Each structure stands twice: as C-alpha cells, then as structure tokens.
Amino acid sequence: MTGEHQSLSLSHQRPESPLRPCKLPRIDGRESTEEESESIERNMTPNSRTQRYLVAIEYIGTRFSGAQQQATCRTVMGVLQDAFQKFIGQPVSIFCSSRTDAGVHALSNVCHVDVERISKRKPGEVLLPHEPAVVLKAVNHFLQSKFKSPSTRTPMDIVRKLEKSEGDIMVVDVKCVPSDFHARYKALERTYFYRLLSGKEPLSTFEKDRAWHVPEELNVLDMQKACSVLVGHHDFSSFRAAGCQAKSPIRTLDELTVTEVASSPYFPSVLDREQSSYGLASSVSVSKKLQDDSPSLAGISDELVENSGAVAFHKFGVRKRHRCFVVTARARSFLYHQVRLLVAVLKSVGTGDLTISDVEKILEAKNVSAAPPMAPACGLYLGHVNYDLPSDI
C-alpha cells in the first residue's frame, strides 16, 4: 500500500454534500517501517484489524457541558466522537480518563477509542490501522471543520449543530495501545491545577472564565500550612459533593500545594528585555529611562519592583495585574468535586475567613456541609494523567 493511500489521499473524492466538511489536506505520506508495522500489529485486537488508540486532548471547557456525552448538549466526548466518525466513516465509542464538569478545562485529558479501518475503494475490505500521526492530524482537521446545515433539518442535525467545532478542542498526542488498555482504569495518577487571581481590579477580558477572581489579598503562607493538614491519606467525606458515586471516601492526596506564579498572558517588560539583551543580573533596578519609556513594567515586574523596595508607578492605559496563585492537587483518583472543595477551603484560609484549626475540624467532621461552598469550575484545569506505558507502544 502506498504512503498516499495510507495517509488518506482524497484524490478520488465524491462531490461534496452539505454534511461533508472541506477537503482534508494531504498528510505527508511514507511507507511504514518494518518496526512500526510490527508494533501496530502487536497492539491490535486479536483476530481483527481493530486498533485501540490512546488519545490526549486539550480543551477550553467554557462552551462544553462537561466531558461525558449527553443527548442534547455540546460535550467534549460528543465533539470528539463526531470528528472520529467523519474521519473513519462509522460511529465510534470513546472512553475518557476523567469526566470533567461543565466549565472545567483540560491541558491534557486522555481517552481511548477502537478504530477499524475500512477501505473506501473496496467497501468491506479491512486495512491495516492508521499510524498515530495520521490519526492526530486527521482528527484535528475534522475538529476544526464547520458543520454545514442541510436544507432539511432532522433531530440528528440539531445535535450535530450542537457538536460543531468552536476551535476550543484539539488532539495533542496519539499512541497505539493493546486492546485491554483502558484510559480510566489504567491511570496511575491525575494532576489538577486551579488558578486564582487576587486583586481588587475587575478581571481582564483575557482571563474571563479562565480563573477564579478573588478581590481580597491572599496569604499564601497560611494557605500552604492548610495544605499540610489536607495532604495524605484521609477520609475526605467533607470534600465529597452530593451525587458522588465512589464506594469509599478514603483517598490518598499525594500532593497539595499553593504556588504564586506570573499572571497570564505575560509579555516582557522593558526591564525584561534589557536583562535579556545584555545578560544583566537578576536583581531589579529601575532606571529613570525605564520609568519614562516603559508603559509599565508589565508582567510580574510590578511585584518585583514592590518587593525590591523601589517605588512602583503606573502609566495610563496599562492594566494593573492581579497576583496569580495556582493550587496543584495530585492523586490516583479524586472524589466528585473534591478539588474544588479543597480550593474553597484554601481560599478561605488565604482571606482569613478560616484558620488552620478550622481546616482540621472540617476534615474531621466528615460532612460536606462543614466546608464552604466549592470553588467555581472556571479556574480548574486537568493538567496531566499519568500511565505506565511500555516504551515500545
């Protein structure tokens, strides 16, 4: 089989229909090496040409009604399944490692899907599976394709319109895995990040639905002390929302930290550029020239100037940046809404509404009513799902 055929060459397409997306750009075709072919065949389902792929995706959760597919809502799995169906020409079922809620984002959520590659020239003929690079590029193409409404609308057309691409989801990695590899049950640990922006100023347009805006100042040292109380092996019933389907509230929280980072988006200030150009030392000094020429020491340089003892200043037209804090939570698995409930407690400690003793009492209460209302979904990011993947997969 030639590289063009294996790479989805569309030189003999049928005329486009209203449901047919724009033409897929040709993917650089090449013959599979003997080693690649052996690896693909080794990971295929026995006695079939069905290949299971592990697929990592990133998405902005704002316009999704969660990850899990729903009949009448736009969901991550619904959009992804639709893209796969356009790619291979038949329905697929996709299983994800973490079923994020509406409004929650993902830097890398992982799912698996079984794909049987059927010849388009000879219907019924099963071909060798696509290489992962082909799957990645093709599915991303269909994720960006706009749905064209047909002249006659059916209930399925309405669902398809809900699943149309908004440019807020993308495949970032694909691997071939054995047929018994499950994205959810094979996960060794999951890492979540939660962003809080502290400051009185209204939230920037660029940060809308990307973080929790906390007008009060946050005491990061007290928040870190609270983390030391919550990390480890505990009964987390106080951090388990109603509707949780887990059989046990016992979990081991391997990591819970609070870190102050640069606000995003970050652009270099004049000071940053001067240091980069001339290799200056990391100490902060503000010259009269920088004060006159710089629209502001943008980025985190405002904080650097304040911390260095220099006189901070503000220039017209430049937004004062918020302080940005990231809560990192890492565990093999989490209870329903556990991370957002943990963040709510940490935030309350940071603002002074709760003490470390209060945190201990909330944990010991083993009742979610003892905890403050959970943090909003917009600040939560699924950062990474870790697996023990053999090097030859």
Side-chain angles (χ1 to χ4, degrees):
M1 178 172 294
T2 65
E4 285 95 0
H5 290 163
Q6 193 165 5
S7 305
L8 298 177
S9 174
L10 301 181
S11 57
H12 300 286
Q13 277 194 348
R14 296 169 293 176
E16 287 194 359
S17 68
L19 294 179
R20 198 175 190 82
C22 57
K23 191 173 182 180
L24 174 65
R26 177 173 296 183
I27 300 170
D28 293 336
R30 63 179 177 85
E31 294 289 348
S32 299
T33 65
E34 183 176 346
E35 181 178 324
E36 288 171 333
S37 298
E38 290 178 355
S39 176
I40 289 176
E41 291 187 8
R42 181 167 57 252
N43 293 310
M44 285 165 44
T45 303
N47 304 320
S48 78
R49 292 293 186 182
T50 298
Q51 174 63 56
R52 177 162 293 188
Y53 294 98
L54 198 63
V55 181
I57 54 175
E58 64 179 12
Y59 50 86
I60 299 170
T62 307
R63 294 186 178 90
F64 288 107
S65 297
Q68 195 168 7
Q69 189 170 20
Q70 302 176 44
T72 58
C73 299
R74 182 174 186 264
T75 64
V76 173
M77 291 301 103
V79 169
L80 192 60
Q81 287 182 173
D82 188 54
F84 263 96
Q85 182 171 352
K86 291 174 183 176
F87 169 38
I88 65 174
Q90 55 186 335
V92 298
S93 294
I94 298 180
F95 301 88
C96 62
S97 63
S98 302
R99 294 170 288 186
T100 55
D101 291 328
V104 175
H105 318 294
L107 306 177
S108 180
N109 198 348
V110 180
C111 53
H112 75 256
V113 58
D114 293 331
V115 174
E116 184 179 46
R117 185 185 178 194
I118 306 295
S119 172
K120 294 181 180 179
R121 291 188 174 185
K122 298 180 180 179
E125 180 182 352
V126 180
L127 307 176
L128 280 173
H130 292 293
E131 293 178 19
V134 175
V135 176
L136 185 150
K137 192 166 185 178
V139 174
N140 275 337
H141 165 76
F142 289 112
L143 283 173
Q144 305 309 314
S145 300
K146 296 295 184 181
F147 172 70
K148 299 178 181 179
S149 299
S151 55
T152 303
R153 293 170 62 85
T154 67
M156 182 55 66
D157 294 332
I158 297 174
V159 172
R160 286 173 61 87
K161 186 172 182 180
L162 287 169
E163 303 291 11
K164 71 179 182 179
S165 172
E166 298 286 351
D168 49 7
I169 179 172
M170 178 174 285
V171 175
V172 297
D173 208 354
V174 179
K175 284 184 178 292
C176 294
V177 292
S179 60
D180 62 348
F181 193 97
H182 198 287
R184 182 180 178 187
Y185 302 122
K186 289 286 187 178
L188 298 180
E189 65 178 14
R190 296 163 174 84
T191 301
Y192 281 90
F193 300 111
Y194 196 100
R195 298 182 68 237
L196 302 100
L197 293 178
S198 171
K200 296 180 180 178
E201 296 74 19
L203 207 59
S204 165
T205 301
F206 294 102
E207 292 287 7
K208 180 177 171 57
D209 297 322
R210 303 289 195 278
W212 184 10
H213 179 211
V214 180
E216 303 94 335
E217 288 294 321
L218 293 174
N219 187 321
V220 67
L221 294 179
D222 284 347
M223 295 171 74
Q224 290 169 344
K225 291 177 183 177
C227 288
S228 65
V229 173
L230 297 168
V231 74
H233 188 73
H234 301 289
D235 181 333
F236 283 101
S237 294
S238 294
F239 300 89
R240 178 188 193 184
C244 181
Q245 298 177 357
K247 295 181 179 179
S248 170
I250 307 296
R251 288 292 184 273
T252 300
L253 193 55
D254 297 309
E255 179 183 355
L256 185 64
T257 58
V258 182
T259 311
E260 184 168 8
V261 300
S263 298
S264 175
Y266 172 70
F267 300 99
S269 66
V270 174
L271 180 61
D272 294 329
R273 301 196 297 272
E274 290 279 336
Q275 290 180 334
S276 177
S277 299
Y278 301 107
L280 299 180
S282 59
S283 60
V284 178
S285 62
V286 182
S287 68
K288 181 65 168 65
K289 178 180 181 300
L290 292 180
Q291 294 186 30
D292 293 339
D293 296 345
S294 174
S296 166
L297 293 183
I300 59 171
S301 48
D302 284 340
E303 290 86 348
L304 292 176
V305 170
E306 291 174 2
N307 293 337
S308 69
V311 178
F313 59 91
H314 177 71
K315 197 154 188 176
F316 175 77
V318 178
R319 171 185 287 277
K320 185 175 180 181
R321 302 177 72 86
H322 296 82
R323 294 180 69 184
C324 183
F325 300 91
V326 175
V327 176
T328 302
R330 178 171 54 85
R332 184 180 183 92
S333 62
F334 292 89
L335 300 169
Y336 186 44
H337 288 165
Q338 181 180 355
V339 177
R340 290 164 63 185
L341 286 162
L342 288 167
V343 170
V345 166
L346 295 178
K347 175 261 184 186
S348 296
V349 170
T351 58
D353 294 326
L354 291 177
T355 65
I356 304 303
S357 177
D358 292 330
V359 176
E360 295 172 344
K361 292 176 181 177
I362 291 172
L363 183 62
E364 293 170 0
K366 298 181 177 57
N367 192 319
V368 70
S369 63
M374 67 180 175
C378 61
L380 185 60
Y381 296 73
L382 173 57
H384 182 66
V385 184
N386 188 33
Y387 297 93
D388 183 12
L389 291 172
S391 58
D392 62 341
I393 292 182

